[in-house]
């Protein structure tokens, strides 16, 4: 059992360490062992399809919030969605993740019926599990989508600090978000949530509380992303406190989360890959992201076990810009093959055709 004080000191250790110092670090080794006891050498792959970048919310950190009037907006057509789903199935994928901003045309009453019909049609393409990440919809959409065959839902709480949550999410509260997460669990979804690390206004104790909240919610999936300032987002002008700004902290958070939540699926996020790639290219060290010292492969070594591959139509990929410089060069089958090679070289097996359900019962973290 890891208590809050120990957790804070584990996380604090990260801010002073360089990547090379962490290779033999006990925290990372322990997390990697816990990961392999639960999942062996398998990395679960999910096909990600970004349905729409319309959003009615104004989250202060996000590049596609309603305040961004300069962004070209799109909503996918059904034919393009089914084509992307079929392409994923042909590559062997069993799970698709449908992601969008909180688009009124999808989360309102009429839109939720349309999404329900999409879920049914996607399952007819040979996809076994449909994950939704569409925000907090109106009315009974969550139960309608569950009845239509949706299996999983991702709804991040982003921060467990109620005041910070309120400041980042105008018109919303942490309490309401946690109520929605509980409702998802009651409806029988596999539920994913998670947080941003390195936010303006965040303290290391907040990050520790985020990890503890993930444990207390008994989540099936936990997404842990670095805060990447988007120039069009209101938060971009605010500075990040030193104690949460170190580039190593997020790896500590992933490892600690793996120890506290041994059975959860934990993605190695694209945002992390983007952050480390951007850091490497701005320092002139272009080779860095391709070795396992950074980005997604490093996250796998720290306890992550899932990677999402983008299957969104090429024409819209760059428009789904939650954060800047998102890597959109490789996608679909090309990205799958590249990832299989990368992970194999690092000693993992990309289990494309695994449905990748969260484990039950609990796996011990020792
Ligand atoms: S984080 Fe999600 S809900 Fe918030 S503005 Fe961005 S897309 Fe919309």
């Amino acid at each position: 059992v890891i208590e809050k004080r120990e957790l804070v000191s584990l996380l604090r250790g990260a801010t002073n360490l360089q990547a090379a110092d962490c290779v033999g670090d006990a925290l990372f080794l322990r997390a990697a062992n816990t990961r392999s006891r639960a999942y062996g050498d398998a990395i679960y792959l999910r096909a990600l399809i970004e349905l729409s970048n319309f959003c009615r919310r104004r989250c202060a950190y996000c590049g596609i919030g309603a305040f961004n009037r300069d962004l070209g907006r799109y909503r996918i057509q059904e034919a393009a969605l089914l084509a992307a789903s079929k392409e994923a199935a042909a590559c062997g994928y069993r799970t698709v993740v449908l992601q969008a901003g909180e688009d009124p045309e999808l989360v309102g009453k009429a839109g939720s019926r349309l999404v329900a019909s999409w879920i049914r049609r996607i399952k007819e393409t040979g996809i076994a599990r449909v994950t939704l990440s569409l925000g907090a919809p109106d009315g009974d959409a969550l139960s309608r989508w569950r009845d239509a065959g949706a299996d999983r839902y991702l709804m991040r709480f982003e921060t467990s600090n109620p005041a910070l949550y309120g400041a980042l999410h105008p018109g919303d509260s942490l309490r309401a978000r946690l109520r929605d997460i509980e409702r998802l669990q009651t409806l029988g979804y596999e539920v994913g949530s998670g947080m941003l690390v390195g936010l303006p206004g965040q303290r290391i104790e907040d990050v520790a509380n985020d990890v503890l909240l993930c444990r207390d919610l008994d989540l099936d999936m936990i997404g842990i992303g670095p805060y990447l300032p988007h120039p069009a987002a209101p938060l971009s002008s605010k500075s990040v406190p030193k104690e949460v700004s170190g580039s190593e902290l997020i790896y500590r958070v992933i490892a600690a989360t793996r120890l506290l939540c041994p059975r959860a699926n934990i993605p190695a996020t694209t945002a992390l890959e983007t952050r480390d790639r951007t850091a490497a290219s701005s320092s002139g060290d272009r080779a860095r992201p391709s070795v396992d010292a950074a980005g997604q492969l490093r996250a796998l070594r720290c306890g992550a076990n899932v990677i999402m591959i983008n299957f969104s139509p090429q024409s819209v990929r760059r428009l789904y810009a939650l954060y800047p410089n998102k890597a959109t060069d490789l996608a679909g089958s090309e990205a799958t093959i590249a990832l299989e090679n990368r992970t194999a070289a690092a000693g993992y097996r990309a289990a494309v055709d695994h449905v990748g359900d969260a484990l039950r019962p609990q796996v011990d973290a020792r």
Side-chain angles (χ1 to χ4, degrees):
V1 178
I2 298 177
E3 299 299 343
K4 181 167 171 193
R5 252 176 60 183
E6 189 188 353
L7 188 51
V8 169
S9 78
L10 277 177
L11 298 180
R12 274 195 203 287
T15 52
N16 296 324
L17 289 172
Q18 297 302 312
D21 299 329
C22 296
V23 171
D25 186 282
L27 171 63
F28 297 132
L29 285 177
R30 224 173 121 196
N33 287 339
T34 304
R35 194 205 82 87
S36 45
R37 264 200 311 280
Y39 295 100
D41 61 356
I43 306 301
Y44 296 156
L45 265 54
R46 323 282 205 207
L48 174 70
I49 306 174
E50 293 152 336
L51 300 185
S52 161
N53 70 350
F54 285 92
C55 188
R56 63 186 176 185
R57 296 208 179 237
R58 297 166 176 270
C59 305
Y61 45 80
C62 177
I64 69 168
F67 53 80
N68 189 349
R69 297 183 189 280
D70 297 329
L71 181 68
R73 302 280 173 173
Y74 77 92
R75 187 174 298 114
I76 203 167
Q77 298 293 310
E78 181 171 302
L81 169 60
L82 294 178
S85 175
K86 282 178 190 159
E87 187 193 347
C91 290
Y93 284 80
R94 310 286 311 285
T95 291
V96 297
V97 180
L98 305 182
Q99 189 172 53
E102 200 170 285
D103 179 353
E105 296 292 317
L106 299 180
V107 299
K109 199 167 181 184
S112 74
R113 290 210 173 92
L114 177 67
V115 171
S117 78
W118 287 351
I119 294 164
R120 289 194 196 92
R121 298 208 57 189
I122 286 170
K123 288 219 151 168
E124 288 165 10
T125 67
I127 294 295
R129 299 283 186 273
V130 172
T131 304
L132 302 176
S133 177
L134 305 177
D138 297 344
D140 58 359
L142 291 176
S143 57
R144 173 172 294 127
W145 295 339
R146 180 82 184 118
D147 291 345
D151 304 278
R152 305 172 182 146
Y153 208 101
L154 308 178
M155 188 180 282
R156 295 198 345 189
F157 59 77
E158 308 296 9
T159 173
S160 59
N161 178 326
L164 183 57
Y165 186 97
L168 297 176
H169 303 95
D172 193 12
S173 71
L174 179 63
R175 182 184 293 198
R177 175 107 320 197
L178 295 179
R179 221 172 22 229
D180 283 341
I181 290 171
E182 196 179 322
R183 177 158 160 68
L184 289 166
Q185 289 173 322
T186 306
L187 287 169
Y189 284 96
E190 270 193 20
V191 177
S193 191
M195 57 278 201
L196 282 168
V197 176
L199 286 161
Q202 193 175 45
R203 297 165 314 144
I204 200 93
E205 285 81 7
D206 295 324
V207 181
N209 285 334
D210 295 346
V211 177
L212 293 170
L213 180 57
C214 288
R215 179 195 65 187
D216 295 345
L217 290 171
D218 192 23
L219 296 168
D220 300 303
M221 298 167 279
I222 302 169
I224 303 161
Y227 163 62
L228 299 175
H230 191 292
L235 206 61
S236 63
S237 58
K238 304 265 196 282
S239 59
V240 177
K242 197 157 179 272
E243 65 173 358
V244 296
S245 67
S247 62
E248 281 294 302
L249 175 60
I250 193 157
Y251 294 113
R252 294 253 163 197
V253 177
I254 292 169
T257 304
R258 170 56 70 202
L259 293 183
L260 268 71
C261 310
R263 70 171 189 84
N265 280 316
I266 300 180
T269 61
T270 311
L272 189 53
E273 186 74 12
T274 300
R275 183 197 73 164
D276 286 357
R277 261 198 220 196
T278 307
S281 64
S282 56
S283 72
D285 180 9
R286 289 185 181 277
R288 188 173 169 235
S290 65
V291 297
D292 60 359
Q296 288 172 307
L297 284 183
R298 177 86 193 282
L300 298 179
R301 295 208 181 285
C302 297
N305 71 307
V306 172
I307 290 184
M308 295 195 201
I309 297 290
N310 199 329
F311 276 78
S312 307
Q314 211 261 337
S315 57
V316 302
R317 254 178 257 149
R318 70 176 177 80
L319 295 173
Y320 202 85
L322 302 175
Y323 48 81
N325 302 318
K326 186 176 152 193
T328 56
D329 42 350
L330 280 189
S333 57
E334 253 186 346
T336 306
I337 292 165
L339 189 79
E340 282 170 338
N341 293 335
R342 260 184 100 194
T343 48
Y348 299 106
R349 180 174 50 88
V352 179
D353 57 355
H354 200 296
V355 290
D357 291 335
L359 295 177
R360 286 192 183 271
Q362 288 279 358
V363 176
D364 288 338
R366 280 186 287 265

